[in-house]
Amino acid sequence: MSYVLKLVSTPKVLIDARSISPNKFAGKSLDEIRKLRILEGGAEATLDTLFSVDGPSKASQDPNSIEIIIENSSNKLCFIGYKMSGGKIVVKGDVGHFTGYKMSNGSIIVHGSARNYLGCKMRGGSIEVFGDVGHRAGGKLHGEKSGKGMRGGTIVIHGNAGSYLGWGAGGGAIIVDGNAKNFAGADITSGTIVVKGSAGIYPGFGMSGGRVVVGGRVEAMSPSFYIDSIVPSLKVRGISFNKPFATFIGDVLSSGRGVLQISYEDNKNIIDVYKQFLEESI
């Protein structure tokens, strides 16, 4: 069963929309759904003050059978899919901060761009964004230990990602079709992060486990990694790269055994530092 939420006006302040989740809709009547609480700035409001809400008169008790479609969405709508454990959310437009925060199952599809902390601390399920995303997608919160970011599930970003992609992740997978900014995969303890394009400075900085792959140019690499090998091609999470990659192990500064793999052809200026080791490996 599907529910369609359509913004009736453009929000001027951030909206805490964590009630937009199949779990919150489950078992409720349409009138009860329309009266679910949201916060418009700091002021209490209900869903029907911002959205027209249409759908079946009574929602299933099972979140997995509920689909929520958001039309005319805005990047001021935050916490969409908060702690969802099933079902599906389809967003036509942009979303705000913390989309999919702590979700454990189900799927979120965004036909637009997302702001910061997409999929932050998620434990399962999938998020697909057709535009760009802000900083710390799949990451942890400030002050938390490494491994407290996303621990399961998959995030696919068809555009570009901001800095600290997957910051402190302890599992799961993030795939970026475009580029990522600085510190992609920093402080991860497990999981896989693939950037098909280029990355900013210090990918994998502080990582103690997991795998970070950059298919394009890296602006700068931390010297606290040591080279392990050169491979002629690479396949990761079903994605094939038909070109050589340099494999590094680190980050030594965190006693890490993570795997950082960067395109050889796109980073000769960096890898020249390790030239003697490369010649032995080749």
Side-chain angles (χ1 to χ4, degrees):
M1 57 175 56
S2 294
Y3 288 88
V4 179
L5 280 61
K6 186 173 183 178
L7 267 175
V8 295
S9 62
T10 302
K12 292 182 171 53
V13 295
L14 294 178
I15 307 297
D16 185 334
R18 66 185 69 199
S19 60
I20 301 179
S21 163
N23 293 73
K24 293 291 185 180
F25 283 26
K28 290 185 172 60
S29 69
L30 183 57
D31 285 341
E32 289 173 324
I33 290 171
R34 286 170 173 159
K35 297 302 178 187
L36 283 171
R37 175 178 175 269
I38 60 174
L39 290 175
E40 184 177 12
E44 290 212 21
T46 55
L47 271 185
D48 61 359
T49 60
L50 287 177
F51 298 89
S52 63
V53 183
D54 294 304
S57 58
K58 182 76 173 180
S60 167
Q61 294 283 356
D62 181 10
N64 289 300
S65 64
I66 297 175
E67 178 186 53
I68 300 172
I69 300 170
I70 303 173
E71 297 183 347
N72 292 345
S73 187
S74 163
N75 66 6
K76 289 187 168 53
L77 296 179
C78 304
F79 288 105
I80 290 172
Y82 174 78
K83 288 186 174 180
M84 64 185 283
S85 64
K88 183 177 182 180
I89 298 176
V90 178
V91 182
K92 299 179 179 179
D94 299 333
V95 291
H97 307 297
F98 290 101
T99 298
Y101 181 66
K102 288 187 174 180
M103 68 183 287
S104 59
N105 209 341
S107 66
I108 299 175
I109 299 173
V110 180
H111 294 279
S113 294
R115 296 177 77 175
N116 301 330
Y117 293 104
L118 173 81
C120 177
K121 301 174 72 68
M122 68 185 287
R123 298 294 181 262
S126 65
I127 301 177
E128 184 174 16
V129 178
F130 284 85
D132 300 327
V133 305
H135 305 309
R136 304 180 184 89
K140 63 185 182 70
L141 301 178
H142 282 284
E144 290 185 323
K145 295 180 180 178
S146 300
K148 295 294 185 181
M150 71 180 290
R151 298 178 67 181
T154 303
I155 298 176
V156 176
I157 300 162
H158 295 293
N160 301 312
S163 296
Y164 288 96
L165 177 70
W167 184 33
I174 304 176
I175 298 168
V176 180
D177 286 343
N179 305 316
K181 292 186 177 179
N182 302 329
F183 296 99
D187 297 329
I188 70 170
T189 61
S190 185
T192 303
I193 295 175
V194 180
V195 180
K196 294 183 182 178
S198 298
I201 63 171
Y202 301 162
F205 184 79
M207 67 189 295
S208 58
R211 185 180 186 184
V212 177
V213 175
V214 180
R217 185 174 178 274
V218 171
E219 285 189 25
M221 203 177 87
S222 171
S224 50
F225 285 79
Y226 61 89
I227 195 163
D228 178 79
S229 62
I230 298 290
V231 294
S233 62
L234 196 66
K235 188 171 184 179
V236 53
R237 305 287 296 192
I239 301 166
S240 296
F241 294 92
N242 295 314
K243 58 183 180 180
F245 274 74
T247 299
F248 294 84
I249 305 297
D251 186 334
V252 172
L253 290 178
S254 57
S255 301
R257 289 287 301 170
V259 175
L260 171 63
Q261 294 175 297
I262 64 174
S263 166
Y264 175 55
E265 296 292 340
D266 294 298
N267 297 287
K268 284 184 177 179
N269 60 322
I270 294 174
I271 300 173
D272 275 349
V273 176
Y274 306 91
K275 193 171 182 179
Q276 60 177 321
F277 304 109
L278 290 176
E279 289 172 350
E280 292 173 3
S281 299
I282 291 172

